Amino acid sequence: DAGVIQSPRHEVTEMGQEVTLRCKPISGHDYLFWYRQTMMRGLELLIYFNNNVPIDDSGMPEDRFSAKMPNASFSTLKIQPSEPRDSAVYFCASTRDAEAFFGQGTRLTVV
Amino acid sequence: AQSVAQPEDQVNVAEGNPLTVKCTYSVSGNPYLFWYVQYPNRGLQFLLKYITGDNLVKGSYGFEAEFNKSQTSFHLKKPSALVSDSALYFCAVRDLGGSYIPTFGRGTSLIVHP
């Protein structure tokens, strides 16, 4: 298995633009997590899904953030409109039973 | 509620010396404990975990961790540090009888000096 795959690896966008981050979890994993990592706040859980259903989105910072999981092999995290304070590394992780497997992350820079 | 604390932002150690990265936790029930490592520009990688059994858990790259229930600690250790061990280390905990979601610590930056 190729592991959790995220795209793009880097994204630079202008303030106000829509940004879509993508994630392909490991096949067979029934939980999917979206995290955000910054120097100031460390690793923050934004939202997680179980069997494609969003379970807890209380970590989503604002209504500008939304996430979907239309099927077991794909999830998106969308920011619309983006702001400079959204600049961070966004990680997707999946798990079936025990330890979580993380993707390489998407480094988002909003200028 | 579950929480985890990594009291040190940074740990410095000379190559060849033993290293310890500290972690304490709090859960209502029995803990499920993890250590992850993050190298620059990479995602978190699983190192080791503890559920039950032997209090000393061995993991990847020569790392091990000791579960201490009375001190609610799960410190990460390695007998002889390598420069290549320099990275960010995260401790995580999950309450076996509670939330499926692990809580991560803020991370500890390990710097191994040649």
Side-chain angles (χ1 to χ4, degrees):
Chain A
D1 200 317
V4 177
I5 300 173
Q6 292 187 246
S7 64
R9 289 294 310 276
H10 302 273
E11 178 80 36
V12 180
T13 190
E14 291 185 347
M15 182 174 63
Q17 297 297 307
E18 177 180 296
V19 175
T20 299
L21 312 181
R22 297 171 175 79
C23 174
K24 182 181 186 307
I26 293 174
S27 177
H29 283 193
D30 54 358
Y31 279 84
L32 183 140
F33 308 86
W34 281 100
Y35 288 91
R36 178 171 69 175
Q37 186 179 35
T38 61
M39 289 291 292
M40 291 295 295
R41 300 187 178 198
L43 199 62
E44 301 174 274
L45 176 64
L46 300 178
I47 184 172
Y48 76 93
F49 297 81
N50 178 218
N51 292 322
N52 314 339
V53 176
I55 303 301
D56 186 350
D57 65 353
S58 60
M60 298 284 259
E62 299 173 37
D63 291 344
R64 298 184 295 108
F65 287 70
S66 63
K68 294 182 180 180
M69 193 166 184
N71 56 63
S73 59
F74 185 65
S75 178
T76 59
L77 178 67
K78 185 177 294 186
I79 308 173
Q80 167 64 20
S82 58
E83 297 183 4
R85 58 192 167 128
D86 301 330
S87 297
V89 181
Y90 291 81
F91 288 103
C92 174
S94 70
T95 181
R96 180 180 60 194
D97 187 29
E99 65 271 18
F101 292 81
F102 284 74
Q104 301 265 44
T106 295
R107 183 174 295 277
L108 173 65
T109 304
V110 183
V111 297
Chain B
Q2 58 190 37
S3 65
V4 63
Q6 294 181 243
E8 303 154 316
D9 289 336
Q10 184 171 303
V11 170
N12 291 277
V13 64
E15 187 174 32
N17 284 0
L19 70 87
T20 298
V21 182
K22 296 180 180 177
C23 172
T24 58
Y25 67 90
S26 175
V27 294
S28 302
N30 292 317
Y32 196 169
L33 293 153
F34 308 83
W35 275 102
Y36 290 82
V37 60
Q38 184 181 28
Y39 298 103
N41 301 313
R42 302 294 295 274
L44 278 69
Q45 298 176 34
F46 170 76
L47 269 182
L48 50 81
K49 66 183 178 188
Y50 170 85
I51 307 176
T52 60
D54 194 347
N55 289 345
L56 187 64
V57 180
K58 294 189 183 298
S60 307
Y61 312 123
F63 283 93
E64 57 190 26
E66 186 170 12
F67 171 67
N68 187 317
K69 187 173 183 178
S70 62
Q71 296 185 5
T72 61
S73 67
F74 190 56
H75 300 331
L76 181 70
K77 301 181 180 183
K78 186 173 182 180
S80 178
L82 300 172
V83 173
S84 58
D85 292 330
S86 299
L88 191 57
Y89 291 81
F90 290 90
C91 182
V93 68
R94 178 163 77 84
D95 189 334
L96 276 172
S99 170
Y100 189 87
I101 308 308
T103 298
F104 284 85
R106 287 189 57 83
T108 298
S109 177
L110 173 66
I111 300 175
V112 181
H113 302 276

